[in-house]
């Protein structure tokens, strides 16, 4: 698997998904479900945990998530409890760097009087009083106090994760945006998204039997994935999986950009609706601003809607780097159009389960979305597209002044400006993942993404305008 993933956690998740997919395709999943953990951890010696039995118990929980997870839990992100037992609970630690100074800035900064000084004059923190705010660490001029935070808690910008009484991380359903940052950050793979690959396999099989036409819609960020093969080879491989056709969601982005720019000109101020985690964040944390969210569907949902309007036999599977997108197959406004959502990790698992060697395939072209539709994958792409849309609509007397922010902490700052009436922008493009969709939690690798990959892919198009791409889309008959 070298070259496909960058962590052993992803490789473990991948092996489980491949085994589940293979057994399901062979009709042996029910029979072999309990033996998959042994396939993953054959033993006799453990390779990841304290004992082989714990490894298999965790693998069994992974299998359950691979087949859909806990149906009673509305969240698409779940904690694998047996896997979450090796992270420190976190808190404040006084290191040997403490000099026992006279200023006692740390004590003065503490809002709970949790800091005292021993006979050696060194700082001491009462853990029963400490609220882990970190103000003492900021105050110490010697940087002698360190704040330890679990990776999952540190990654969550809405404070939806905390340790329960047993020390196991748990997710606050009311706060969680489903962004998946915690899943990507957990070094032990104890947080995982539910998978719907079985539904995707059902649709692929029905397509091959001629019962329906199953389309695979791929996110624009696919251009920054599958680095071990050419993009055209990936598209050929997707078709070999058993889909009727492969469509780029960038076509939906063109449709959205054209409509959203017009909506912006009509309303004067707009908040983007493309990122489902950002939209959920706005609705929960800034409900007073929810009225400004664009009424447009996401690019994936919009192109799925178009496909179903033009092909009565269509069923649509979407693939991307986003875990939050899985909500769209259940959300009232988009569920009629999206039948199944999988991630790029799961798409790779399906390719490997069917033993398709991408590097040996001929290249297939993707659809001809515009440059502006394809750059939606990076932060600022939607803003550029909206500005272009205003220009192409020839709206007189109105200028688009967008602000693009990525990462929920940065989104919060921008939303506070809007709430306080201090914004100089009239269009807010918000993306939950740093850098945009190219930084999604379900990317195959998680190195710093180069937006140049998106630019290179975008410039391959022959369509130089959004309007031209939209007219081309409307002429398509699937």
């Amino acid at each position: 698997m070298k070259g496909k993933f960058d962590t052993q956690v992803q490789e473990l998740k991948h092996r489980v998904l491949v085994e589940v997919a293979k057994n399901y395709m062979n009709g042996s999943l029910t029979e072999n479900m309990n033996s998959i953990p042994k396939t993953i951890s054959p033993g006799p010696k453990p390779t990841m945990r304290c004992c082989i039995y714990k490894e298999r118990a965790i693998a069994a929980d992974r299998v359950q998530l691979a087949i859909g997870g806990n149906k009673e839990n509305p969240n698409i992100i779940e904690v694998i409890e047996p896997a979450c037992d090796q992270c420190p609970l976190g808190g404040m630690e006084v290191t040997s760097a403490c000099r026992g100074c006279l200023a006692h800035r740390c004590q003065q900064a503490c809002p709970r009087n949790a800091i005292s000084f021993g006979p050696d004059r060194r700082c001491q923190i009462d853990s029963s009083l400490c609220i882990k705010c970190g103000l003492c660490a900021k105050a110490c001029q010697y940087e002698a106090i360190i704040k330890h935070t679990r990776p999952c808690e540190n990654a969550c910008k809405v404070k939806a994760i905390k340790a329960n009484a047993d020390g196991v991380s748990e997710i606050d359903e009311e706060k969680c945006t489903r962004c998946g940052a915690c899943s990507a950050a957990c070094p032990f793979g104890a947080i995982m998204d539910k998978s719907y690959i079985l539904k995707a396999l059902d649709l692929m099989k029905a397509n091959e039997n001629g019962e329906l036409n199953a389309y695979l819609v791929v996110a624009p960020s696919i251009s920054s994935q599958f680095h071990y093969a050419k993009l055209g080879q990936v598209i050929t491989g997707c078709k070999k999986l058993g889909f009727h056709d492969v469509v780029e969601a960038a076509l939906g982005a063109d449709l959205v950009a054209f409509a959203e720019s017009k909506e912006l000109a009509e309303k004067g101020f707009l908040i983007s609706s493309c990122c489902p985690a950002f939209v959920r964040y706005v609705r929960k944390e800034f409900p007073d601003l929810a009225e400004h969210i664009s009424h447009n569907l996401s690019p994936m949902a919009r192109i799925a809607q178009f496909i179903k309007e033009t092909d009565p036999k269509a069923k649509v599977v979407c693939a991307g780097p986003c875990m939050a997108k899985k909500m769209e197959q259940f959300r009232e406004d988009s569920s009629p159009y999206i039948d199944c959502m999988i991630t790029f990790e799961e798409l790779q698992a399906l390719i490997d389960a069917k033993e398709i060697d991408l590097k040996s395939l001929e290249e297939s072209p993707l659809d001809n979305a515009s440059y502006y539709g394809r750059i939606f994958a990076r932060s600022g792409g939607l803003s550029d597209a909206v500005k272009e849309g205003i220009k192409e609509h020839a709206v007189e007397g109105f200028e688009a002044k967008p602000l693009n922010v990525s990462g929920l902490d940065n989104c919060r700052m921008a939303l506070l400006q809007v709430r306080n009436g201090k914004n100089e922008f009239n269009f807010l493009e918000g993306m939950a993942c740093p850098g945009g969709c190219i930084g999604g939690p379900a990317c195959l690798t998680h190195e710093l993404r180069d937006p140049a990959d998106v630019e290179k892919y975008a410039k391959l198009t022959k369509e130089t305008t959004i309007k031209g791409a939209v007219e081309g889309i409307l002429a398509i008959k699937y």
Side-chain angles (χ1 to χ4, degrees):
M1 292 308 302
K2 187 176 180 181
K4 293 183 180 178
F5 305 107
D6 57 8
T7 71
Q8 293 186 19
V9 167
Q10 286 178 289
E11 291 181 9
L12 174 59
K13 180 180 179 180
H14 179 75
R15 288 167 58 198
V16 171
L17 288 169
V18 170
E19 287 299 321
V20 168
K22 280 185 175 180
N23 277 277
Y24 192 69
M25 288 187 294
N26 295 334
S28 57
L29 181 58
T30 302
E31 177 185 350
N32 295 336
M33 189 178 298
N34 293 332
S35 65
I36 291 178
K38 291 184 180 180
T39 302
I40 301 300
S41 298
K45 294 183 178 180
T47 59
M48 297 172 283
R49 297 287 180 164
C50 58
C51 68
I52 195 67
Y53 304 105
K54 184 166 187 175
E55 284 189 3
R56 291 173 180 171
I58 294 171
D61 283 348
R62 292 186 180 279
V63 170
Q64 290 301 314
L65 282 166
I67 63 173
N70 181 2
K71 303 296 189 295
E72 296 181 0
N73 183 350
N75 204 328
I76 48 97
I77 310 287
E78 292 191 18
V79 176
I80 303 173
E81 292 191 8
C84 182
D85 65 352
Q86 298 196 29
C87 287
L89 288 178
M92 309 306 299
E93 177 191 1
V94 180
T95 70
S96 58
C98 177
R99 302 286 294 173
C101 68
L102 298 179
H104 292 182
R105 295 180 187 276
C106 56
Q107 187 180 50
Q108 294 172 16
C110 180
R112 294 298 179 92
N113 298 318
I115 294 179
S116 60
F117 297 88
D120 59 356
R121 302 194 307 277
R122 293 182 70 244
C123 171
Q124 298 176 338
I125 300 177
D126 186 338
S127 59
S128 66
L129 297 175
C130 179
I131 58 173
K132 306 177 181 64
C133 65
L135 292 177
C136 58
K138 292 179 181 179
C140 179
Q141 293 170 295
Y142 289 103
E143 298 181 352
I145 304 177
I146 299 174
K147 183 178 181 180
H148 295 291
T149 309
R150 287 186 173 191
C152 58
E153 289 185 36
N154 193 47
C156 181
K157 303 306 178 183
V158 295
K159 303 185 185 304
I161 295 182
K162 63 179 181 180
N164 63 19
D166 297 321
V168 176
S169 290
E170 62 180 15
I171 300 174
D172 186 329
E173 169 61 22
E174 286 303 308
K175 292 182 179 180
C176 180
T177 64
R178 279 82 158 146
C179 71
C182 57
S183 178
C186 179
F188 287 92
I191 307 175
M192 183 173 160
D193 54 316
K194 296 173 180 176
S195 177
Y196 303 100
I197 57 171
L198 299 190
K199 186 172 183 179
L201 285 166
D202 285 339
L203 293 173
M204 289 153 57
K205 184 177 181 180
N207 178 81
E208 292 176 329
N209 293 338
E211 300 170 25
L212 50 83
N213 294 331
Y215 292 81
L216 177 66
V217 174
V218 293
S221 51
I222 195 171
S223 59
S224 65
Q225 303 292 307
F226 303 94
H227 285 307
Y228 66 93
K230 296 178 181 178
L231 179 58
Q233 293 174 316
V234 177
I235 302 307
T236 302
C238 290
K239 291 179 179 179
K240 283 184 172 291
L241 284 173
F243 288 102
H244 178 72
D245 199 1
V246 178
V247 181
E248 58 176 332
L251 290 170
D254 282 319
L255 291 167
V256 168
F258 211 54
E260 200 144 297
S261 55
K262 184 178 180 181
E263 184 182 4
L264 170 60
E266 292 173 349
K267 295 182 177 179
F269 179 79
L270 209 59
I271 295 175
S272 65
S273 60
C274 293
C275 174
F278 171 67
V279 170
R280 182 177 171 87
Y281 176 69
V282 175
R283 294 191 184 283
K284 284 194 168 290
E285 298 296 322
F286 293 85
D288 52 313
L289 302 182
E291 63 177 326
H292 298 296
I293 298 173
S294 169
H295 286 77
N296 285 286
L297 295 171
S298 72
M300 275 193 170
R302 181 63 185 91
I303 193 60
Q305 179 187 36
F306 177 76
I307 290 171
K308 289 199 168 184
E309 287 173 348
T310 56
D311 183 353
K313 292 182 62 178
K315 293 291 182 180
V316 180
V317 178
C318 297
C322 180
M323 294 179 183
K325 284 285 186 187
K326 290 184 175 181
M327 294 189 294
E328 294 195 2
Q329 63 190 313
F330 305 112
R331 222 169 58 189
E332 185 178 354
D333 62 345
S334 49
S335 60
Y337 316 119
I338 298 177
D339 296 288
C340 180
M341 176 69 203
I342 61 174
T343 63
F344 285 141
E345 290 178 325
E346 291 159 344
L347 180 59
Q348 180 68 73
L350 291 174
I351 290 170
D352 290 338
K354 287 213 169 188
E355 298 181 352
I356 298 172
D357 180 14
L358 296 182
K359 292 184 290 185
S360 67
L361 301 177
E362 296 287 331
E363 293 188 58
S364 295
L366 256 178
D367 305 284
N368 203 28
S370 80
Y371 165 84
Y372 296 97
R374 289 180 172 179
I375 61 173
F376 267 54
R378 62 157 172 83
S379 178
L382 170 58
S383 294
D384 290 345
V386 166
K387 288 174 68 176
E388 173 65 17
I390 292 290
K391 177 182 176 182
E392 292 184 24
H393 279 299
V395 179
E396 295 184 4
F398 182 84
E399 179 185 359
K401 298 178 181 178
L403 173 68
N404 56 282
V405 288
S406 64
L408 288 179
D409 46 354
N410 293 322
C411 290
R412 177 177 178 80
M413 297 303 294
L415 289 164
L416 285 172
Q417 289 183 51
V418 177
R419 174 179 281 173
N420 296 328
K422 296 182 178 180
N423 58 296
E424 296 181 356
F425 52 89
N426 56 22
F427 180 75
L428 176 58
E429 174 200 319
M431 288 191 170
C433 297
C437 299
I438 56 175
C443 288
L444 300 189
T445 57
H446 295 95
E447 73 275 8
L448 184 64
R449 297 288 173 184
D450 187 355
D453 288 340
V454 177
E455 290 294 320
K456 182 180 178 181
Y457 159 64
K459 289 178 180 178
L460 292 175
T461 182
K462 296 177 182 178
E463 290 292 349
T464 58
T465 65
I466 300 173
K467 184 176 181 180
V470 169
E471 290 174 348
I473 296 167
L474 299 179
I476 295 173
K477 298 297 181 183
Y478 286 109

